[in-house]
Amino acid sequence: MAGFIQQRLLRWLDKRIPAQPRFSLHRGNIFIFPSRFGWLYLLLCLTLFILGTNYQNNLILLLSFFLMALMLVSLFSSYLNFAGLNLQPGKLANIYAGNPVSFPLWIESRKEGKAGKLHLAWFGEKVQSAVELDNFTNPATLNLFSAKRGKLQLPRLTLCSYYPLGLFRCWTHLAFDFHLIVYPTPMLPLWPVSHRDTTSAGQQSVSCVKEGQDLDDFDSLTDYRLGQPLYHIAWKQAAKGQGLLSKKFSSQTQQSGWLILHHIDQHLEDNLCRLCQTCLEMDARGWEFGLDIPGKVIPPGKGKEHVRQCLVALALVKGVADVTS
Amino acid sequence: MLRLNPSAHNNAHLLLTLILMALSLTLFEPLQLWVLLLVLCAVIIRVSLYLNWQKHQLSIRTLNLMAILCAIVLAYFGWQLGLLLGMLNLLVMASSLKLMLLASRRDYFQLIGVQFFLLGAALVFNQNIAFSLFYALLCVLLLLSLACHINPSARWPILIKRVGKLCLQALPIAVLMLLVLPKLGPLWQMPTGKGTQTGLSDKVSPGDLAQLARTDDLAFRVTFEGNAPPMSQRYWRALVMEDFDGSNWQVHPYRRKLQERYKGANQTFSPQVSGPAHSYQIIAEPTKQRWLFALDVATSQDSHVWQSHDYTLQSRIPLQSNLAYRVRSYYQTALHEGIPNLDKRLNLQTPEQANPRTREWASQLKAQNTSAEQIIQAIAKFMQQQEFRYTLKPGRMPVDPVDRFLFEEKAGFCSHYASATAYLLRLSGVPARLVTGYLGGEMRGDRYMSVYQYDAHAWVEWLSDEGWQRLDPTAWVAPLRLQFGLEQAVEFEQSFLADAPLANLRNIEWFNNLRGLMADMDYWWSRWVLGFDQQNQQDLLKALLGELKLWKLLLFSFTLVAVIALLLAAYHIRPWLQARQNLPHWYYQKALKLLARYDIQRPYWQGPQDFSMSLATKSDKQSLQHFAILTRCFTHLNYRPLTAQQKKRLVRQMRHQLRKLKRSLAKK
């Protein structure tokens, strides 16, 4: 039931506040309603009014009216403080499934004098962090997490503020036009590398890249990157406090190969994870490699852009469920 | 489990703590001492948490134990306190316990809500100017605490400015609401505190009134619409006592029962009135009782005033705080029997025993005289011949007080005279009763009259064929009391306000002036703030609108709504005015909007100059040129050091270019 309501709400929100690359808050996308304390406060005003009337006491009545007027005035103040904020997501590299990353959000304002806490949360989830508008450094960050590989549409971002007296909750649900590719989680063991003779297609020999094998000569040190195997870390340098560095080896024997996934079966997700790990490994070793997976063939190559292409291809492979249905 | 300290250096919590303490201290009288001590404990705990001397909060188990203990103590004492004071004590107790526990946002908000309510409740008990100002301050501080809670990193001056602004915006609206919203009568019965009742009581033994007359507390204030009645006619009736047991007078139980029944059925007595009348408003000081004061045959239209068949007025709510009501007194109308035969029957009852000498003398009087007037004259003659004295320090008369007074002491206060006379009349077959109230009142200028407790008085009413007649036996022995008041009447014995503190300061002139000034301020406060009622409201509207008609009222309400909307708009519009103040920016933005209308948007990352360059392909040459000049002016104005004259010239140029740009775009 709750899920159904949330679905309806999201559909309505898609119409009301369609996705945009950046948002400026105004009356079209702000919601405002008394907070829980606001309702308590209204009840209090009513009680004070009854108390004042029953004791025929003008001062209590004045107090009650004053508190009511204050609520009215704070409605405007609350809205004015919230409206006019400009929000824009920061740059974010693609991420691996299962690894949380910080999602940066830039908050700016055309006008001076914005104040109060701004609570940040993903739609339907708990408040993750709060920034105080009169004292914070851009960008504000939120944890973003996806357990599944593939294309990730950013969930709606909920921002709310209780400024100035906590009587009103001003909030908005923003959908940013912001796509992320979530790569599969790198996983061992490595995928076997095939050697395809370019002249006579179809003939191929398979060999496995095993850990510790074929790693001939130490070549150089590079920055450690996520996904590289731990045993490549130069621990000696790490102990000296130089940060995590990764040893790069040059191999004389094999410098190119193909990673081939023939068909989609129930082990698809695991296979993709292994392929992902292998891509990173090959790149770390400086090999040329090509990727051949159902629906996509990427000719051998190397370099950052090539790895990125491969990883994107891996992330976007249709799942078992999609193929069978 | 130990709980960590959420209050360390938390200003919002500290402020809330201090407010609770201040509020409880002002409620020193209605609160129980142990509740105050509990508040003090909570404050100490909170302050040491704030200063981080104490790192952990009390455990929930300790607190629960304490709460149960407190609840038992309160339940034990609460029975005697009555509902109102009981509730107040409970509220303060609960909030101090909550204060010890205060950790989450929810606790905090609940506590703030309760503080606001306590503030309202405190206004039931204390309403004079000083307290009201203090409570206003506390209210602002509470709001400040809230603002601090919402925005903890802001500095105090900023918070104060913010809250002050909100308050100043809200205040006119609140005052407007108070002035204009129709005032309702009490919706239902409210509990009253069982504290010490002050002023007259509904049971009088002759010595009581003399006690009361030794204090100089204010009883009530009167504002007359026309001329005030002369001194000797200012008999303020409050209570009619018809039951005499030989020494004490009290309201007759039967009469009381009758009043309850009429009140229950919501029937009020409306006397037949005719002739001229005094109109006035009375603001009574709190007495915690129900009866009110009025002259002669009085009627009141106020919804919270109820009239009894003995011509007295009663309030539907106990006078927990100042109460204002309006009265018309018809001073030439006779007081006919409220309920025929009943009055007569009740007022002939005399006790069987007690006062044998008086009874004997009364039977002689009855034999010698035929009419009531003659009997009265005989009593007066007796008192004058025997040289009765009027005194504020009557001797004690525990047994057969009337005998003792008439034949031994021969000195007494007004209630002795009234009591003895009424008793004598009853014994002689004339229905008579004792009326207590106040006689006199001190006029201040021609504006208002103050009546003090030392004006307390008792007199007699006897039933003739024309109705109840007022008879004041005190006048026979102390005519000065009528003409000039108590102070003159007892001057010879130096007993006036003898035991009141600062009494001898009354002779110093500047002190009296100061006292008068304070009284004036207090009067103004009680008349216009505490005593602002339906009638005042209508008068105000009439003064504004003339004759009250429906269309006028409707128009007026619409105007008011408009005024409030305008007020809000004024708060709202300020940012717009500010934007207009920075003229170059304003013109540039207008130009951008113009271009946007023709589908030329400036990307947000592009500076003005780059944007102007990038336009080359997008628009016609002329508009482009205008916009380029406008952009140049804008950048110069913003980034070049210029003299005032140059600035003016550039701004003017911007305006021209904007106009030209508009024209050339429209042409396209």
Side-chain angles (χ1 to χ4, degrees):
Chain A
M1 185 65 196
F4 175 71
I5 290 174
Q6 202 160 21
Q7 285 304 314
R8 288 293 299 269
L9 187 63
L10 273 174
R11 228 175 299 147
W12 180 79
L13 276 173
D14 282 341
K15 254 184 273 166
R16 173 91 193 165
I17 312 175
Q20 283 177 31
R22 56 203 295 276
F23 276 97
S24 177
L25 297 184
H26 54 82
R27 65 178 185 283
N29 50 24
I30 292 178
F31 305 99
I32 187 163
F33 206 62
S35 62
R36 205 187 292 177
F37 173 60
W39 287 111
L40 179 77
Y41 181 91
L42 273 180
L43 187 73
L44 173 90
C45 289
L46 190 70
T47 324
L48 279 177
F49 178 76
I50 291 171
L51 191 77
T53 306
N54 279 359
Y55 281 110
Q56 295 285 297
N57 189 319
N58 281 333
L59 290 176
I60 301 179
L61 284 179
L62 186 66
L63 179 67
S64 154
F65 292 150
F66 173 72
L67 293 182
M68 283 184 214
L70 199 71
M71 185 144 187
L72 189 67
V73 170
S74 107
L75 171 72
F76 281 85
S77 172
S78 190
Y79 169 78
L80 283 179
N81 186 56
F82 200 58
L85 285 179
N86 291 325
L87 302 155
Q88 190 184 1
K91 282 206 174 112
L92 188 61
N94 292 334
I95 59 173
Y96 296 93
N99 283 317
V101 287
S102 308
F103 169 76
L105 179 74
W106 293 77
I107 305 170
E108 272 148 16
S109 161
R110 261 181 285 128
K111 274 173 282 176
E112 288 293 301
K114 300 284 178 196
K117 269 187 195 162
L118 194 66
H119 302 269
L120 307 173
W122 297 116
F123 182 81
E125 287 174 29
K126 266 194 201 155
V127 171
Q128 280 198 5
S129 59
V131 290
E132 282 204 60
L133 287 177
D134 39 1
N135 181 20
F136 82 109
T137 43
N138 261 323
T141 55
L142 280 107
N143 272 341
L144 185 62
F145 178 86
S146 172
K148 268 172 63 184
R149 68 178 174 86
K151 215 171 189 180
L152 173 69
Q153 165 71 49
L154 210 60
R156 276 185 182 267
L157 179 66
T158 303
L159 296 148
C160 81
S161 152
Y162 293 92
Y163 178 90
L165 297 176
L167 297 176
F168 284 96
R169 178 169 183 258
C170 242
W171 77 99
T172 179
H173 303 293
L174 300 178
F176 289 106
D177 218 350
F178 188 88
H179 293 281
L180 273 176
I181 305 288
V182 182
Y183 303 145
T185 324
M187 197 169 79
L188 290 171
L190 294 174
W191 193 258
V193 180
S194 311
H195 305 285
R196 203 181 259 176
D197 196 346
T198 40
T199 48
S200 58
Q203 295 226 337
Q204 40 187 261
S205 62
V206 176
S207 76
C208 271
V209 183
K210 290 220 179 91
E211 297 128 53
Q213 267 191 354
D214 304 323
L215 303 176
D216 298 342
D217 303 318
F218 170 72
D219 183 43
S220 60
L221 285 174
T222 56
D223 281 343
Y224 176 74
R225 275 168 52 202
L226 192 73
Q228 286 180 338
L230 282 178
Y231 53 81
H232 278 189
I233 293 176
W235 291 112
K236 239 185 238 170
Q237 274 71 17
K240 282 182 198 161
Q242 292 174 349
L244 289 183
L245 295 174
S246 178
K247 284 187 267 191
K248 206 165 178 180
F249 299 89
S250 63
S251 167
Q252 302 297 317
T253 49
Q254 277 186 316
Q255 291 208 329
S256 68
W258 281 87
L259 301 175
I260 303 168
L261 180 67
H262 292 290
H263 46 263
I264 292 173
D265 54 16
Q266 69 266 43
H267 299 301
L268 174 70
E269 295 303 323
D270 285 351
N271 292 342
L272 289 175
C273 292
R274 289 174 59 194
L275 277 168
C276 176
Q277 173 77 41
T278 316
C279 284
L280 293 171
E281 179 78 28
M282 303 276 265
D283 179 49
R285 292 181 190 180
W287 286 11
E288 271 192 7
F289 65 96
L291 189 66
D292 184 355
I293 50 174
K296 185 108 184 171
V297 177
I298 298 173
K302 62 184 201 177
K304 262 189 186 172
E305 181 54 29
H306 176 70
V307 175
R308 197 190 63 80
Q309 269 182 21
C310 293
L311 291 183
V312 168
L314 288 175
L316 297 182
V317 171
K318 277 186 185 155
V320 181
D322 297 329
V323 173
T324 49
S325 64
Chain B
M1 193 187 82
L2 285 174
R3 295 179 307 139
L4 285 178
N5 178 6
S7 272
H9 308 293
N10 186 331
N11 291 326
H13 287 190
L14 181 72
L15 206 54
L16 180 65
T17 310
L18 296 180
I19 291 167
L20 177 66
M21 186 170 75
L23 201 54
S24 319
L25 285 182
T26 64
L27 290 171
F28 182 76
E29 213 178 323
L31 284 183
Q32 302 249 302
L33 192 62
W34 65 271
V35 174
L36 278 178
L37 287 178
L38 195 70
V39 172
L40 208 63
C41 280
V43 169
I44 290 171
I45 290 176
R46 219 12 77 178
V47 169
S48 53
L49 280 173
Y50 174 79
L51 297 171
N52 230 347
W53 294 340
Q54 167 77 28
K55 311 266 191 232
H56 297 284
Q57 285 211 293
L58 289 184
S59 74
I60 300 225
R61 190 187 294 177
T62 320
L63 260 169
N64 282 346
L65 207 67
M66 208 144 136
I68 291 172
L69 235 126
C70 290
I72 292 172
V73 177
L74 188 69
Y76 181 73
F77 284 115
W79 291 122
Q80 302 140 33
L81 287 175
L83 196 56
L84 180 69
L85 291 186
M87 289 304 281
L88 189 75
N89 277 291
L90 180 70
L91 218 55
V92 174
M93 183 195 93
S95 47
S96 58
L97 286 174
K98 192 83 184 167
L99 188 66
M100 293 184 192
L101 193 79
L102 174 61
S104 68
R105 271 163 38 112
R106 230 176 92 191
D107 294 342
Y108 174 79
F109 282 131
Q110 284 171 357
L111 210 46
I112 286 274
V114 172
Q115 295 312 296
F116 273 119
F117 185 77
L118 269 180
L119 212 58
L123 283 171
V124 174
F125 293 95
N126 303 315
Q127 310 184 275
N128 60 26
I129 303 182
F131 270 116
S132 306
L133 287 178
F134 184 66
Y135 287 142
L137 179 73
L138 284 189
C139 180
V140 174
L141 286 181
L142 265 178
L143 294 173
L144 200 62
S145 166
L146 258 180
C148 184
H149 180 79
I150 296 295
N151 192 7
S153 74
R155 281 176 300 117
W156 284 114
I158 293 176
L159 284 179
I160 291 171
K161 206 172 137 194
R162 188 181 299 158
V163 170
K165 213 161 86 185
L166 282 176
C167 289
L168 285 183
Q169 288 172 358
L171 198 62
I173 301 176
V175 172
L176 219 63
M177 279 164 93
L178 184 70
L179 292 183
V180 175
L181 276 189
K183 293 184 71 84
L184 306 176
L187 303 176
W188 61 76
Q189 288 284 325
M190 289 303 272
T192 170
K194 268 201 190 146
T196 43
Q197 301 183 333
T198 53
L200 300 169
S201 73
D202 49 7
K203 185 171 183 178
V204 160
S205 65
D208 289 353
L209 230 48
Q211 261 328 306
L212 185 61
R214 284 158 180 261
T215 54
D216 63 346
D217 294 334
L218 188 69
F220 56 94
R221 285 206 179 91
V222 196
T223 315
F224 285 97
E225 266 159 38
N227 287 330
M231 189 77 175
S232 56
Q233 295 302 314
R234 296 176 196 158
Y235 280 91
W236 302 97
R237 298 171 92 247
L239 283 160
V240 173
M241 318 248 177
E242 294 169 309
D243 182 50
F244 183 56
D245 65 356
S247 56
N248 300 322
W249 287 85
Q250 64 173 343
V251 177
H252 202 287
Y254 186 75
R255 174 78 71 186
R256 207 189 288 260
K257 218 181 287 171
L258 214 60
Q259 286 176 353
E260 289 302 318
R261 199 180 308 156
Y262 277 111
K263 229 185 259 180
N266 208 9
Q267 285 180 352
T268 184
F269 174 58
S270 36
Q272 298 274 318
V273 289
S274 58
H278 294 300
S279 287
Y280 50 92
Q281 187 195 29
I282 294 186
I283 300 163
E285 292 288 303
T287 56
K288 305 197 175 71
Q289 322 225 34
R290 285 169 185 277
W291 30 259
L292 302 173
F293 324 94
L295 294 168
D296 304 302
V297 179
T299 57
S300 176
Q301 302 300 320
D302 289 5
S303 60
H304 53 277
V305 175
W306 182 83
Q307 189 153 34
S308 162
H309 283 81
D310 54 13
Y311 293 88
T312 56
L313 298 181
Q314 293 194 3
S315 164
R316 286 184 199 274
I317 44 174
L319 271 66
Q320 193 66 56
S321 36
N322 292 44
L323 183 86
Y325 57 98
R326 279 166 196 277
V327 183
R328 281 178 78 78
S329 281
Y330 297 85
Y331 51 88
Q332 287 179 359
T333 304
L335 277 73
H336 292 291
E337 272 186 283
I339 304 172
N341 298 325
L342 177 77
D343 283 12
K344 197 168 188 170
R345 197 153 49 82
L346 287 184
N347 289 300
L348 281 173
Q349 291 172 354
T350 51
E352 296 290 312
Q353 311 290 323
N355 305 312
R357 291 176 69 186
T358 313
R359 270 187 289 158
E360 195 183 318
W361 185 47
S363 56
Q364 280 174 30
L365 277 176
K366 197 176 175 184
Q368 286 161 12
N369 302 291
T370 48
S371 70
E373 283 86 354
Q374 281 174 335
I375 297 174
I376 291 168
Q377 263 170 14
I379 299 172
K381 209 165 135 196
F382 170 75
M383 287 185 180
Q384 280 159 348
Q385 279 172 352
Q386 299 279 320
E387 293 189 341
F388 274 61
R389 275 188 310 115
Y390 183 64
T391 175
L392 249 177
K393 294 186 276 188
R396 289 176 51 75
M397 309 171 202
V399 190
D400 290 344
V402 183
D403 275 8
R404 187 93 191 263
F405 166 66
L406 282 177
F407 304 109
E408 288 169 34
E409 294 275 341
K410 298 190 180 172
F413 197 56
C414 53
S415 45
H416 293 96
Y417 289 94
S419 168
T421 311
Y423 183 44
L424 278 168
L425 283 173
R426 280 190 181 189
L427 286 171
S428 335
V430 181
R433 60 191 185 185
L434 190 81
V435 182
T436 58
Y438 296 87
L439 169 61
E442 183 187 323
M443 276 312 266
R444 191 162 163 80
D446 51 359
R447 281 161 297 169
Y448 69 95
M449 177 191 288
S450 304
V451 179
Y452 295 94
Q453 294 297 356
Y454 57 69
D455 290 317
H457 193 59
W459 61 94
V460 177
E461 277 178 358
W462 63 278
L463 191 61
S464 72
D465 295 337
E466 287 90 49
W468 289 98
Q469 302 290 330
R470 184 170 66 216
L471 170 67
D472 189 355
T474 312
W476 299 331
V477 293
L480 284 176
R481 172 71 181 90
L482 249 69
Q483 297 298 328
F484 302 107
L486 182 68
E487 190 171 4
Q488 304 292 324
V490 294
E491 201 181 7
F492 62 93
E493 61 175 20
Q494 300 281 320
S495 62
F496 181 68
L497 296 183
D499 25 323
L502 304 176
N504 27 4
L505 284 177
R506 289 172 71 89
N507 302 326
I508 304 171
E509 195 183 346
W510 67 263
F511 181 76
N512 272 343
N513 285 342
L514 191 70
R515 212 176 121 249
L517 204 68
M518 300 282 273
D520 272 356
M521 258 169 71
D522 198 43
Y523 165 75
W524 182 87
W525 178 252
S526 27
R527 170 123 165 79
W528 291 110
V529 181
L530 308 182
F532 183 79
D533 60 6
Q534 230 162 357
Q535 183 72 40
N536 288 130
Q537 204 171 32
Q538 279 177 15
D539 289 349
L540 184 81
L541 286 183
K542 263 185 201 154
L544 281 175
L545 305 176
E547 193 69 16
L548 289 184
K549 280 187 191 141
L550 187 66
W551 67 268
K552 271 189 187 173
L553 281 176
L554 277 177
L555 194 70
F556 183 65
S557 1
F558 277 126
T559 325
L560 269 181
V561 172
V563 164
I564 291 182
L566 272 179
L567 275 177
L568 289 175
Y571 309 144
H572 195 101
I573 252 167
R574 208 176 36 86
W576 177 77
L577 285 177
Q578 264 176 357
R580 190 88 170 80
Q581 265 163 12
N582 186 352
L583 272 177
H585 189 75
W586 171 257
Y587 286 138
Y588 187 69
Q589 289 298 333
K590 277 201 115 172
L592 284 185
K593 266 184 207 161
L594 265 177
L595 287 176
R597 213 178 293 163
Y598 295 92
D599 271 343
I600 305 171
Q601 295 266 8
R602 187 183 80 158
Y604 65 94
W605 41 263
Q606 209 166 30
Q609 210 147 16
D610 288 347
F611 176 55
S612 173
M613 306 275 226
S614 73
L615 281 183
T617 54
K618 286 185 185 166
S619 186
D620 63 312
K621 218 170 186 182
Q622 206 173 17
S623 329
L624 213 67
Q625 206 179 357
H626 295 314
F627 187 71
I629 297 173
L630 196 121
T631 306
R632 206 177 55 225
C633 293
F634 177 64
T635 47
H636 284 191
L637 273 166
N638 271 322
Y639 302 109
R640 274 199 186 173
L642 296 168
T643 62
Q645 200 143 32
Q646 283 170 316
K647 268 186 191 169
K648 225 171 176 181
R649 203 169 51 79
L650 281 176
V651 169
R652 207 182 313 137
Q653 202 178 353
M654 274 187 91
R655 196 169 57 225
H656 283 307
Q657 293 302 327
L658 184 67
R659 210 175 298 149
K660 281 180 186 163
L661 179 70
K662 203 178 205 170
R663 230 175 286 148
S664 66
L665 280 172
K667 230 183 275 166
K668 202 177 81 174

